[in-house]
Each structure stands twice: as C-alpha cells, then as structure tokens.
Amino acid sequence: MASLEMSRSPPRSRRDLEVRSTRQDKYSVLLPTYNERENLPLIVWLLVKSFSESGINYEIIIIDDGSPDGTRDVAEQLEKIYGSDRILLRPREKKLGLGTAYIHGMKHATGNYIIIMDADLSHHPKFIPEFIRKQKEGNFDIVSGTRYKGNGGVYDSFLVFLVINRGANFLTQILLRPGASDLTGSFRLYRKEVLEKLIEKCVSKGYVFQMEMIVRARQLNYTIGEVPISFVDRVYGESKLGGNEIVSFLRGLLTLFATT
C-alpha cells in the first residue's frame, strides 16, 4: 500500500492546471491595418516580446486593407524577420470594413483563441497575459479590456475622442444594459468558435461593430470577463474616427435598441 501511495502523482494546484492548459492553447492575434507603417513594427515587437516571455503559443495575422503608405511592405519584412509561422500577412486589395477583416483573418487562424486589438499602439500587449489568466480563472467565452472599470483609464490628447467614447458608452448602458462596462473598445480575447458565431449575427460596420458584438454576446448567453486596461493616444498617424463614424454609431445604436 505504501509503495502504491508513493507512486501516485502529487495533486495539481489550480494554478498548475491553468498553466498546463495555457501551454496547450494557441492564441491568434488578428491585426487589421490601414496606414500603420510606423506603428506596425513596434506593435509586432511588443507582441512577440510579451508572448515569448510568458511562454504562450501564438501567431500574428496582419490583415492590411491596401494601405497606400507602404504598410504591406513593412509587414512582408516582419514576416521574414520573425518567420512565417509567427507572422502571417494576409492582405486585401482595399478597405472593406472591420467585421470582414476579422472574417478574413479567422480563415487563416490556427489558434483556438482569438485576440483582437488595434495596431496603432493604443492597446499595449502587456495586458494580454492578464486577459488569458482572467479567461482561465472564470472559463469566460470573452474577455474584454475596459477603460472604465478598476484602474483602467484613457490617456488621449484628443478631447473630442474622449467625449465621444464616454458618451457612446453612457448611451449604450442606458438603452441596452449590456452587462459590460466598455462597449466601444476593440481589445478583446474570444474563444474562436464564439467569435465566429458572433460575427455571423452582427450586421454593423465601423465604430458600432464592437458594441454590437457585446450586445449579441449577451443575447446568446456567452460569458464575459473584464480586465482594466490603459488606452493611450496613437503614436504615429491620424485618428480614423470622423464625422461619418459618429453618425454611423448613432444609427447603429438606435437599430440595436429597436431589435434587442
């Protein structure tokens, strides 16, 4: 009996099981780009550094929508530097919308988890290991970065951008009660099958797309965890948020209110 007891493996802690599970998982980052020539090398370097230091299996899928500034050329060089098993350039000929960019990227994703984020350095990859820990702890279908909870925050020099985002989230919380604190953010982790299902259900494009994803997730009873993040102003390039996006958001919000 004693020898039998000694031969048994020691009980694994929850932390050990989470680490083992993470090592078995693969994370595909979908990185849509348009005129991000200066930012792309920096965000890719930060992503590679964060994943490598954390021992996380990953791939970065760059979906460039025909950027006229040479973003595609930069992506091709990054593919050569880091290897085509880690950096996958999957371009399109023109700008076709964020939702279709994700659909295009997922066709090439081999990970069982998908991470979406901006390529303009407003989302720091240092938060990704926290997203993964949060997902494992609560077995969430989605983990969303939030600027409006805990020690999250917005550090942006563009006052109009701050007002629009705050106003968008405030209106959405009142009208839709989505059960999440940051509806317009685009820094999230999804189970791959969950993201595929949500994209099938979503009809919005542009600025309102991220908001609809959370609203549809609530309708389908998917679980959502949140991690406080710091959002900073883009380092290079110009903001792509304009008057048309604001009008589109208001229309999309009213549509969701009428259909949910």
Side-chain angles (χ1 to χ4, degrees):
M1 179 65 70
S3 60
L4 178 60
E5 291 179 352
M6 291 181 64
S7 66
R8 290 174 180 168
S9 299
R12 296 182 184 275
S13 67
R14 181 177 177 181
R15 176 63 179 165
D16 289 339
L17 292 173
E18 288 175 0
V19 169
R20 184 180 178 186
S21 176
T22 300
R23 288 173 179 170
Q24 293 173 342
D25 292 325
K26 185 174 183 179
Y27 296 83
S28 299
V29 180
L30 303 187
L31 210 58
T33 59
Y34 186 78
N35 288 347
E36 298 291 357
R37 186 177 188 275
E38 293 92 350
N39 293 317
L40 189 58
L42 294 174
I43 192 65
V44 167
W45 181 81
L46 288 169
L47 281 165
V48 171
K49 182 174 184 291
S50 179
F51 284 127
S52 299
E53 290 179 351
S54 302
I56 297 169
N57 190 14
Y58 72 95
E59 64 185 3
I60 303 167
I61 302 173
I62 301 170
I63 307 116
D64 184 62
D65 276 1
S67 298
D69 72 339
T71 298
R72 179 171 176 172
D73 295 333
V74 171
E76 288 174 351
Q77 291 300 314
L78 292 170
E79 197 173 34
K80 292 177 182 177
I81 291 169
Y82 294 104
S84 58
D85 60 326
R86 294 300 189 187
I87 309 296
L88 292 78
L89 173 60
R90 298 295 181 264
R92 304 190 296 176
E93 292 304 315
K94 60 182 180 179
K95 203 171 183 182
L96 298 170
L98 192 60
T100 59
Y102 292 147
I103 293 171
H104 182 74
M106 280 195 295
K107 290 178 181 178
H108 305 281
T110 60
N112 54 323
Y113 288 93
I114 303 289
I115 295 168
I116 64 168
M117 62 189 300
D118 294 341
D120 62 5
L121 297 173
S122 58
H123 299 144
H124 201 296
K126 69 181 181 181
F127 294 107
I128 290 177
E130 295 182 38
F131 280 36
I132 294 172
R133 281 194 293 271
K134 184 74 173 182
Q135 192 279 323
K136 297 301 178 189
E137 288 171 2
N139 196 30
F140 292 107
D141 296 308
I142 304 166
V143 174
S144 180
T146 176
R147 298 161 288 183
Y148 308 121
K149 188 176 179 181
N151 59 353
V154 180
Y155 304 92
D156 197 303
S157 59
F158 188 21
L159 180 60
V160 175
F161 178 84
L162 294 176
V163 172
I164 291 170
N165 266 286
R166 287 285 188 179
N169 274 280
F170 179 72
L171 282 173
T172 306
Q173 295 292 343
I174 290 176
L175 294 177
L176 301 177
R177 301 186 183 278
S181 62
D182 194 339
L183 282 301
T184 58
S186 53
F187 193 7
R188 295 175 185 162
L189 182 154
Y190 292 87
R191 295 184 193 273
K192 185 179 182 181
E193 67 272 16
V194 168
L195 182 56
E196 289 172 336
K197 186 67 174 180
L198 288 174
I199 287 180
E200 287 178 7
K201 295 290 184 181
C202 286
V203 297
S204 304
K205 295 181 179 179
Y207 189 63
V208 76
F209 175 79
Q210 302 293 2
M211 177 182 68
E212 185 179 358
M213 294 283 278
I214 294 296
V215 173
R216 300 300 179 195
R218 183 201 63 180
Q219 287 182 322
L220 295 171
N221 295 317
Y222 290 131
T223 54
I224 304 171
E226 293 188 310
V227 170
I229 63 166
S230 300
F231 178 93
V232 298
D233 199 359
R234 63 165 45 246
V235 177
Y236 299 107
E238 298 179 355
S239 173
K240 300 177 179 68
L241 179 61
N244 290 337
E245 289 291 340
I246 297 170
V247 172
S248 174
F249 164 76
L250 292 173
R251 287 175 178 169
L253 178 59
L254 291 174
T255 299
L256 284 175
F257 179 65
T259 58
T260 57

